Amino acid sequence: MEHFIVSARKYRPQTFKDVVGQQAITNTLLNAIENNHLAQALLFTGPRGVGKTTCARILAKMINSDGSESADEDFAFNIFELDAASNNSVDDIRNLTDQVRIPPQVGKYKVYIIDEVHMLSQAAFNAFLKTLEEPPKHCIFILATTEKHKIIPTILSRCQIFDFKRITVTDAKEYLKYIAEEQGINAEDDALHIIAQKADGAMRDALSIFDRVVSYSGKDLTRQAVTENLNVLDYETYFTSTDLILENKIPELLLQFNSTLSKGFDGHHYIAGLASHFRDLLVSKNEETIPLLEVGEHTKTKYLEQSRKASSQFLMQSINLANDCDLKYKTSKNQRLLVELCLMQLASITFDGEKKNNKHFIIPASYFANKGIKPIPVSIPKQKNNNNHSETELDSKPTSESISETVQSFQVKEPPIIELKKEGKRTSGLSLSSIRTKKEHQIKQMEVIVNEDDLPKDPFTEDEFIKVWNTYIEELTNEGKHNLASILSIDTPKVKDTVAHLEFPNATNKLEIERHQYDLLSYIRKALNNFDISLSVTVNEVMEKQYAYTPFEKFEKLKEKNPNIDVLRKTFDLDV
């Protein structure tokens, strides 16, 4: 049996031209080699499987090549690869720095490739600093990592950093197509697209998935085989769902969702994919955004056809509903019901309930909806039979002459403008809404009075204001409103111009004053004959400490006034 080599190793690039999706970095390294402008410490960072280690090996081989060596020369004696995940101690770095001093026996440079460099310990990083900053002229360090943020800044500042990007779906698909041709595999374009999307920007993952699917399907790689093997929802599922939504077929839509669940797919996966499908349809409606569709040519044609059936407004509402369902899915107690409700809402966006009732109206209901008028069914009047003097109804299908006469006699008039009285809606005197309505009406009425220019605005002093204030508190006490009287007694008003400033220890006091401000201001304004007076109430939390609320705080207040109370408590062993 012949030994099998996975595609990720078999088709590993041997030159910078073979590297997929990293043209900016490979061109920079090529120019640096040609112009002898290569830094002695390089840091390759980026996601997994995008070519960091591959580019490091190609670079190490190129800087030692002078054109006289054989094609299969790999300069193994000059290239040292160190896995920092298993060699992360200080002793490992010290051994490395000792080897750095020895010049190469073959070639010009010794290249040290340290993979997963972020796994080095703090002490190992510090031991590596001096060598990395001033290495020998025959030595080049190439560090590779997927987590740049874990590397200490002193290391980063000594390296020339190259950020590798995720490989696009298009680039990954083209490379998979090349490999399929090399292996004599007949692969559908949509199948390669699904593999590239599943890889999520990593070329190594795409090649591993490719090998897996080829083992399943053989030499014919179809879209159906890929979706079955990778357990992903096919595009056809979402195309069918969207057609059912546009046709308002709720029962069939729910049955299709149930069929999807029975195949082992998750409802969260389904609704998230449906939101992405609506996004792709929205993208397809504009020719300028069609390149954003990362699908095959055959699927792209389907998207363009279905996008013509759906309006942009429908797609925007659908995306909002599906995205909202996606966000609520994990916290929902009944996740299946959540998705089914979302599907029913989606299928109801384009549903017009008046379509079935239009036969009852001579003039279509849409006409009245545009005019803001409620349509009234036109009934055909009864006609007397002069022979037997009895009333007989006309046929349920009137003639065209009778309909035209009725239409001529029926004239749509604009509804009359009805002026509402300012007394407002009458409510029950015992309900909370009636009390709130009355208060709001009083405050609005008070504001109207204040805005009048002919009301008196006599001058007054702060002492006069305080005197009226205290008189009002006494009247409240006589009426039995002790709670409000005690709140008004907490602070003495400070008058500035026509504004009385008050401070209270908490928001509850402020709210109580605002609830009774109408009666309070009315009393003060009439007493001082000035209708410009207003209140400014603020909350000062520092004042709250001055007032005792709990039994212990009350006891402490009493103890400050009379220390003998504490002696009494201790003598009789009393609790507070």
Side-chain angles (χ1 to χ4, degrees):
M1 182 177 178
E2 186 179 354
H3 178 64
F4 174 72
I5 302 176
V6 296
S7 298
R9 289 183 56 195
K10 184 177 181 180
Y11 295 99
R12 182 186 288 271
Q14 299 299 316
T15 64
F16 281 134
K17 293 181 181 179
D18 299 332
V19 178
V20 180
Q22 308 294 345
Q23 283 76 14
I25 293 176
T26 54
N27 290 341
T28 302
L29 294 175
L30 279 172
N31 292 334
I33 295 171
E34 292 176 0
N35 300 326
N36 196 21
H37 201 264
L38 188 66
Q40 288 192 286
L42 307 175
L43 176 64
F44 292 171
T45 177
R48 68 185 188 283
V50 294
K52 299 185 296 297
T53 306
T54 299
C55 287
R57 291 177 179 177
I58 295 172
L59 178 64
K61 183 178 178 180
M62 285 192 66
I63 59 178
N64 282 303
S65 301
D66 56 3
S68 60
E69 66 280 346
S70 60
D72 57 347
E73 178 65 49
D74 58 357
F75 296 96
F77 293 103
N78 289 29
I79 302 173
F80 303 88
E81 288 195 33
L82 179 68
D83 182 17
S86 55
N87 302 280
N88 55 4
S89 65
V90 178
D91 294 335
D92 295 323
I93 297 299
R94 285 175 180 169
N95 292 334
L96 186 146
T97 54
D98 291 340
Q99 295 176 12
V100 166
R101 301 172 185 173
I102 304 172
Q105 302 302 312
V106 180
K108 188 177 180 181
Y109 293 100
K110 291 178 72 175
V111 182
Y112 291 86
I113 301 173
I114 305 179
D115 207 1
E116 305 298 334
V117 71
H118 66 275
M119 299 292 288
L120 289 178
S121 63
Q122 185 74 22
F125 271 129
N126 293 330
F128 192 38
L129 281 175
K130 190 63 178 177
T131 305
L132 190 65
E133 184 176 10
E134 297 178 358
K137 63 179 181 179
H138 60 266
C139 182
I140 290 179
F141 290 101
I142 303 177
L143 314 180
T145 179
T146 56
E147 301 182 49
K148 184 176 70 172
H149 60 279
K150 291 186 178 180
I151 302 176
I152 59 176
T154 48
I155 293 288
L156 294 176
S157 64
R158 288 167 168 80
C159 297
Q160 194 173 90
I161 301 174
F162 292 87
D163 286 304
F164 283 68
K165 63 181 181 178
R166 291 181 181 273
I167 297 173
T168 62
V169 174
T170 304
D171 289 341
K173 192 232 10 172
E174 292 297 329
Y175 194 64
L176 290 174
K177 185 178 181 181
Y178 161 74
I179 293 175
E181 292 174 354
E182 288 289 319
Q183 296 184 3
I185 297 173
N186 184 21
E188 292 183 2
D189 196 54
D190 288 339
L192 298 179
H193 254 289
I194 294 173
I195 296 174
Q197 286 180 331
K198 188 74 174 178
D200 193 26
M203 196 66 237
R204 184 170 60 233
D205 291 357
L207 293 172
S208 299
I209 296 171
F210 177 79
D211 288 343
R212 170 183 158 190
V213 175
V214 168
S215 299
Y216 173 75
S217 62
K219 294 294 183 179
D220 291 325
L221 195 62
T222 62
R223 185 189 64 187
Q224 183 178 359
V226 171
T227 53
E228 289 178 1
N229 186 260
L230 299 182
N231 196 29
V232 296
L233 276 171
D234 194 7
Y235 294 123
E236 290 297 331
T237 302
Y238 296 121
F239 280 117
T240 306
S241 298
T242 306
D243 286 335
L244 294 174
I245 289 171
L246 291 171
E247 295 169 5
N248 313 121
K249 295 181 178 179
I250 293 178
E252 292 85 345
L253 183 62
L254 296 179
L255 289 173
Q256 193 219 18
F257 175 60
N258 181 67
S259 175
T260 303
L261 294 179
S262 63
K263 294 177 182 177
F265 293 102
D266 185 27
H268 196 188
H269 185 195
Y270 173 81
I271 200 66
L274 190 60
S276 299
H277 181 76
F278 290 141
R279 175 260 181 194
D280 292 339
L281 287 175
L282 190 62
V283 164
S284 304
K285 293 189 74 66
N286 193 327
E287 294 182 358
E288 297 179 358
T289 55
I290 288 178
L292 296 176
L293 279 177
E294 294 181 341
V295 294
E297 293 299 325
H298 177 68
T299 309
K300 185 180 292 185
T301 305
K302 286 191 171 184
Y303 269 108
L304 293 175
E305 291 176 358
Q306 194 172 65
S307 65
R308 298 189 188 100
K309 303 177 184 178
S311 64
S312 299
Q313 184 179 3
F314 163 78
L315 293 174
M316 288 298 298
Q317 293 183 31
S318 301
I319 291 172
N320 286 332
L321 287 171
N323 188 51
D324 186 57
C325 180
D326 182 14
L327 295 175
K328 295 178 180 177
Y329 189 87
K330 289 186 177 180
T331 58
S332 175
K333 295 290 182 67
N334 194 340
Q335 296 174 337
R336 174 168 182 162
L337 178 61
L338 179 69
V339 178
E340 288 176 341
L341 284 174
C342 179
L343 293 176
M344 287 187 282
Q345 289 174 340
L346 289 170
S348 302
I349 293 176
T350 58
F351 178 71
D352 186 4
E354 292 183 351
K355 288 180 180 178
K356 296 182 180 180
N357 299 326
N358 282 346
K359 62 183 181 180
H360 299 296
F361 305 98
I362 291 178
I363 299 179
S366 58
Y367 175 85
F368 296 99
N370 296 332
K371 292 289 184 179
I373 307 171
K374 184 177 180 181
I376 302 173
V378 178
S379 59
I380 304 300
K382 295 180 179 180
Q383 186 176 6
K384 273 189 178 182
N385 191 334
N386 294 328
N387 297 330
N388 53 12
H389 301 285
S390 63
E391 293 183 352
T392 58
E393 293 185 359
L394 292 178
D395 187 9
S396 59
K397 295 182 180 179
T399 61
S400 58
E401 290 80 2
S402 61
I403 292 177
S404 61
E405 291 175 1
T406 309
V407 171
Q408 291 175 4
S409 61
F410 182 81
Q411 295 181 352
V412 179
K413 298 181 180 180
E414 295 294 333
I417 300 174
I418 303 174
E419 295 185 359
L420 299 176
K421 295 183 179 180
K422 297 184 179 180
E423 294 177 357
K425 183 180 178 181
R426 298 180 65 183
T427 56
S428 172
L430 298 178
S431 63
L432 292 176
S433 59
S434 65
I435 298 173
R436 183 168 59 250
T437 305
K438 182 178 179 181
K439 288 294 182 184
E440 292 175 355
H441 175 68
Q442 289 175 343
I443 292 172
K444 290 180 180 179
Q445 190 177 30
M446 181 178 64
E447 291 174 353
V448 172
I449 295 175
V450 170
N451 291 331
E452 295 293 337
D453 296 332
D454 55 350
L455 292 176
K457 301 175 184 178
D458 293 351
F460 61 92
T461 62
E462 187 175 33
D463 294 336
E464 293 174 346
F465 185 91
I466 295 174
K467 184 178 179 181
V468 174
W469 181 273
N470 293 331
T471 304
Y472 183 73
I473 293 175
E474 292 176 2
E475 292 185 4
L476 289 176
T477 306
N478 295 334
E479 294 175 2
K481 300 179 180 179
H482 300 286
N483 185 33
L484 181 58
S486 62
I487 292 174
L488 293 176
S489 303
I490 290 176
D491 188 29
T492 303
K494 297 173 182 60
V495 181
K496 186 176 181 182
D497 295 333
T498 58
V499 181
H501 298 273
L502 294 168
E503 281 190 358
F504 291 100
N506 53 58
T508 305
N509 295 335
K510 178 182 176 182
L511 182 63
E512 191 68 21
I513 294 298
E514 290 176 347
R515 286 177 56 192
H516 297 87
Q517 64 176 340
Y518 171 74
D519 297 331
L520 176 60
L521 284 176
S522 297
Y523 181 88
I524 296 173
R525 288 172 177 177
K526 290 178 182 178
L528 296 176
N529 202 26
N530 189 320
F531 285 84
D532 269 355
I533 296 174
S534 59
L535 292 179
S536 175
V537 184
T538 57
V539 177
N540 187 358
E541 296 180 355
V542 178
M543 295 177 61
E544 189 171 6
K545 300 179 181 179
Q546 302 175 3
Y547 295 91
Y549 296 101
T550 64
F552 182 77
E553 291 174 345
K554 293 177 182 178
F555 174 76
E556 291 295 328
K557 287 287 185 181
L558 292 174
K559 191 172 69 173
E560 291 177 2
K561 295 182 179 180
N562 190 353
N564 294 327
I565 293 179
D566 191 39
V567 178
L568 180 66
R569 184 187 67 82
K570 293 179 180 178
T571 303
F572 293 99
D573 193 20
L574 301 175
D575 293 332
V576 178

